[in-house]
């Protein structure tokens, strides 16, 4: 990846012309997925498997289209997205608040860190039975589960990023006459952004996992519901559709974080090179 | 807001700041002792720096010179003794220590509490020859450019005391010569008291009014240099001063230890 960036920036005159066609890197990245689909087609097209065990890529594509045109996909996709967004928002906010409180003061660390460290060793998915007892089978237990899954990655990464802020820069800030609050704002928090973004990515991953589990245990809507329903009717093709949707969602949110990274970390040399400045 | 203290602040610092004009000394240190465990780094040290004087502090590694500079900067505590320094002081470290997420001019303007901070920052950057990199990200600067930005950041605060902690040590030889000349020019323009910590004997003679050698936490040599500026390495005065300093630092001209 870095090689291709360097070669682009090394010849700025040719770069615009090259961008118009499909970039060579994209072609190279698509090689393996294309081979996998071809292999999949090869083993299913000749009837070695029955359709309920392993549908052909074509059958999966057709049923995917059916889900779209019959209007089954969008409402379920939207409700799944909404669950993840809310869970991530609550979990992320709590994670950020706890991490800042624990990392910026000794008192906060003593009060919070040990408890959070203990809590994170508990697999949060093990709480599902309790969630159902406490919150029923509505939206709340799903959102709480996703929030719990995203809280810990954000907490851990942000905590260590704040603590890892360069002491030399903090020292320099104090010689410039910055107050403690200003030092936190201008030096420590910006220094912690890369670590926070790592936490955000991990939290997104955990959110999707929590969503899958929450929706498969009890749900009357969402992608997970579509998949479980398809299982009851032996519609393996729709199960594949659900998996495909999950994969695409994961990919899309990862790209979103990358964009955020480009904006927030514009000062990094790698970003500057990538933008061709 | 005491909760932020532990992360950001140095330990309790017993350094008196003064902004009085017309005093005799820019820096006054009396009986400063600093110990790390049983090892004393500074021993009952007395030091006075006059306003506008360019003082160079030489010493071998571990002689306590960085500790002394950090104490004057307010970064290290002064548990024993009294230290009086001007409140308007600035530090240039060996590394530029620019905040990578702020543009060069923002780094210079940081903490500058004047109405037209941006304009002042840009003027300071133009003065050190970085007028063309005002909006650059610090990580795109060369080592020399970054150190010039760091110098601009110090100067824009109009310090009465400028503390330079081996600021040229990480630069290549040619850049170092240019930076030394720049520091000399800026010092002559603004006349702050300067304390330059260095390993480099030639640099000391080139720049200093007064040379101090620190050995085992005490000042072992304190000489004034009155040679006219700019000074040349080949002049007889330079060569004899060089010998004196090397002698005080315990090194022969050929590099062998005494």
């Amino acid at each position: 990846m870095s090689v291709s960036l360097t070669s682009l920036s090394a010849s700025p005159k040719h770069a615009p012309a090259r961008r118009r066609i499909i970039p060579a890197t994209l072609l190279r990245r698509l090689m393996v997925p294309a081979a996998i689909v071809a292999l999949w087609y090869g083993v299913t097209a000749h009837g070695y498997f029955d359709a309920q065990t392993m549908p052909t890529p074509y059958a999966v594509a057709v049923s995917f289209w059916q889900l779209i045109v019959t209007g089954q996909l969008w409402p379920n996709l939207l409700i799944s997205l909404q669950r993840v967004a809310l869970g991530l928002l609550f979990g992320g906010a709590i994670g950020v608040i706890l991490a800042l409180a624990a990392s910026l003061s000794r008192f906060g660390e003593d009060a919070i860190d040990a408890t959070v460290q203990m809590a994170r060793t508990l697999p949060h998915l093990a709480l599902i039975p309790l969630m159902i007892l406490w919150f029923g089978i509505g939206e709340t237990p799903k959102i709480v589960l996703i929030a719990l899954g995203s809280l810990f990655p954000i907490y851990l990464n942000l905590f260590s990023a704040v603590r890892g802020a360069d002491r030399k820069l903090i020292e320099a800030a104090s010689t410039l006459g910055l107050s403690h609050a200003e030092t936190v704002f201008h030096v420590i928090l910006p220094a912690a952004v890369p670590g926070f973004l790592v936490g955000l990515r991990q939290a997104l991953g955990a959110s999707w996992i929590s969503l899958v589990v929450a929706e498969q245990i009890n749900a009357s809507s969402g992608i997970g519901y579509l998949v479980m329903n398809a299982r009851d009717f032996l519609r393996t093709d729709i199960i594949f559709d659900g998996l495909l949707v999950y994969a695409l969602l994961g990919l899309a949110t990862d790209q979103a974080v990358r964009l955020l990274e480009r904006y927030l970390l514009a000062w990094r040399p790698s970003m500057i090179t990538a933008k061709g400045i | 807001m005491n909760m932020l203290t532990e992360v950001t602040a140095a330990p309790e610092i017993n350094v008196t700041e003064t902004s009085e004009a017309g005093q005799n000394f820019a820096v006054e240190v009396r009986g400063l002792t600093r110990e790390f465990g049983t090892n004393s780094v500074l021993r009952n040290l007395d030091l006075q720096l006059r306003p506008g004087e360019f003082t160079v502090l030489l010493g071998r590694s571990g002689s306590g010179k960085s500790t002394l500079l950090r104490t004057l900067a307010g970064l290290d505590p002064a548990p024993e003794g009294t230290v009086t320094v001007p409140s308007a002081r600035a530090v240039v470290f060996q590394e530029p220590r620019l905040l990578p997420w702020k543009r060069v001019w923002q780094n210079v303007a940081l903490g500058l509490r004047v109405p037209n901070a941006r304009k002042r920052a840009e003027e300071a950057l133009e003065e050190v020859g970085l007028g063309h990199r005002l909006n650059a990200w610090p990580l795109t600067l060369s080592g020399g450019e970054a150190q010039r930005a760091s110098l601009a950041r110090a100067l824009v605060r109009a310090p009465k005391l400028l503390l330079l902690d081996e600021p040229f040590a990480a630069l290549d030889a040619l850049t170092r010569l240019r930076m030394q000349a720049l520091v000399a020019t800026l010092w002559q323009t603004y006349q702050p008291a300067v304390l330059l910590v260095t390993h480099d004997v030639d640099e000391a003679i080139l720049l200093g009014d007064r040379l101090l050698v620190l050995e085992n936490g005490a000042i072992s040599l304190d000489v004034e240099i009155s040679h006219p500026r700019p000074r040349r390495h080949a002049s007889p005065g330079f060569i004899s001063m060089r010998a004196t300093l090397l002698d005080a630092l315990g090194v022969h001209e050929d590099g062998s230890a005494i």
Side-chain angles (χ1 to χ4, degrees), chain B residues 205 227 235-245 253:
Chain B
I205 305 168
H227 301 315
S235 71
F238 198 108
I239 291 165
S240 72
M241 181 58 76
R242 195 167 191 277
T244 311
L245 282 178
E253 285 270 16

Side-chain angles (χ1 to χ4, degrees), chain A residues 152-207:
Chain A
F152 297 107
I154 292 201
Y155 174 88
L156 293 172
N157 283 288
L158 184 56
F159 179 88
S160 71
V162 168
R163 283 300 167 89
D166 190 348
R167 310 268 347 155
K168 290 185 165 182
L169 292 182
I170 296 171
E171 242 178 43
S174 95
T175 69
L176 298 177
L178 264 59
S179 67
H180 297 317
E182 285 172 321
T183 304
V184 169
F185 183 76
H186 290 294
V187 184
I188 295 177
L189 294 185
V193 169
F196 167 76
L197 288 171
V198 171
L200 184 60
R201 274 201 182 167
Q202 292 176 1
L204 270 169
S207 295

Side-chain angles (χ1 to χ4, degrees), chain B residues 100-220:
Chain B
W101 42 83
K102 289 195 182 289
R103 306 215 177 246
V104 169
W105 77 263
Q106 290 173 316
N107 264 285
V108 175
L110 191 65
L112 198 59
R113 294 174 216 287
V114 294
N116 48 354
R118 177 170 190 166
K119 189 161 170 286
R120 293 274 296 278
E122 289 176 351
E123 284 165 3
L125 281 162
E126 263 153 38
E127 196 160 7
V128 299
L130 276 185
H132 60 299
R133 304 301 311 262
L134 300 176
N135 279 311
W137 295 114
L139 294 180
T140 64
L141 300 181
S142 71
E145 285 176 331
Q147 203 55 308
R148 274 188 278 161
S150 172
L151 193 59
R153 181 176 66 178
L155 279 173
V156 79
R157 274 141 241 278
K160 290 212 169 64
L161 173 63
L162 178 60
L163 298 162
L164 306 173
D165 191 1
E166 303 191 37
F168 316 122
L171 303 176
D172 67 81
L174 292 175
T175 310
R176 187 180 307 148
L177 288 178
R178 254 186 249 128
M179 280 293 287
Q180 288 166 347
L182 177 65
V183 165
T185 311
L186 292 169
W187 166 70
Q188 280 168 339
T189 312
Y190 296 101
Q191 298 284 317
V194 176
L195 184 68
L196 166 68
V197 165
T198 182
H199 280 110
D200 185 337
V201 170
D202 290 347
E203 182 174 293
I205 305 168
L206 202 65
L207 292 172
D209 289 327
R210 182 181 171 200
L211 309 184
L212 304 172
V213 174
L214 199 63
E215 201 179 346
N216 296 323
I219 290 167
S220 63

Side-chain angles (χ1 to χ4, degrees), chain A residues 20-36:
Chain A
R20 271 182 225 133
I21 54 168
I22 302 169
T25 47
L26 184 63
L27 284 177
R28 285 200 294 271
R29 284 179 197 173
L30 285 175
M31 261 170 18
V32 173
I36 290 173

Side-chain angles (χ1 to χ4, degrees), chain B residues 217-255:
Chain B
I219 290 167
S220 63
L221 182 75
D222 183 348
V223 290
E224 311 249 343
I225 306 188
S226 50
H227 301 315
R229 294 166 188 268
R231 295 176 184 147
R232 296 185 199 291
H233 289 78
S235 71
F238 198 108
I239 291 165
S240 72
M241 181 58 76
R242 195 167 191 277
T244 311
L245 282 178
L246 286 173
D247 192 48
L249 289 164
V251 184
H252 279 304
E253 285 270 16
D254 63 6

Side-chain angles (χ1 to χ4, degrees), chain A residues 66-131:
Chain A
Q66 289 295 323
L67 284 180
I68 295 174
V69 293
T70 57
Q72 286 183 79
L73 183 63
W74 299 124
N76 287 305
L77 180 61
L78 277 180
I79 193 79
S80 288
L81 274 174
Q82 187 192 320
R83 285 167 185 155
V84 166
L86 285 175
L88 199 63
L89 189 70
F90 289 125
I94 296 169
V96 166
I97 290 168
L98 289 180
L100 291 182
S103 58
L104 290 175
S105 81
R106 191 68 58 195
F107 176 81
E109 182 179 6
D110 291 343
I112 295 167
D113 192 54
T115 312
V116 177
Q117 296 289 350
M118 267 192 286
R120 87 181 170 91
T121 60
L122 184 72
H124 70 288
L125 296 176
L127 296 174
I128 289 177
L130 265 186
M131 298 278 152

Side-chain angles (χ1 to χ4, degrees), chain A residues 218-230:
Chain A
N218 54 74
S220 50
S221 60
I223 299 297
Y225 164 75
L226 267 187
V227 169
M228 296 318 284
N229 218 17

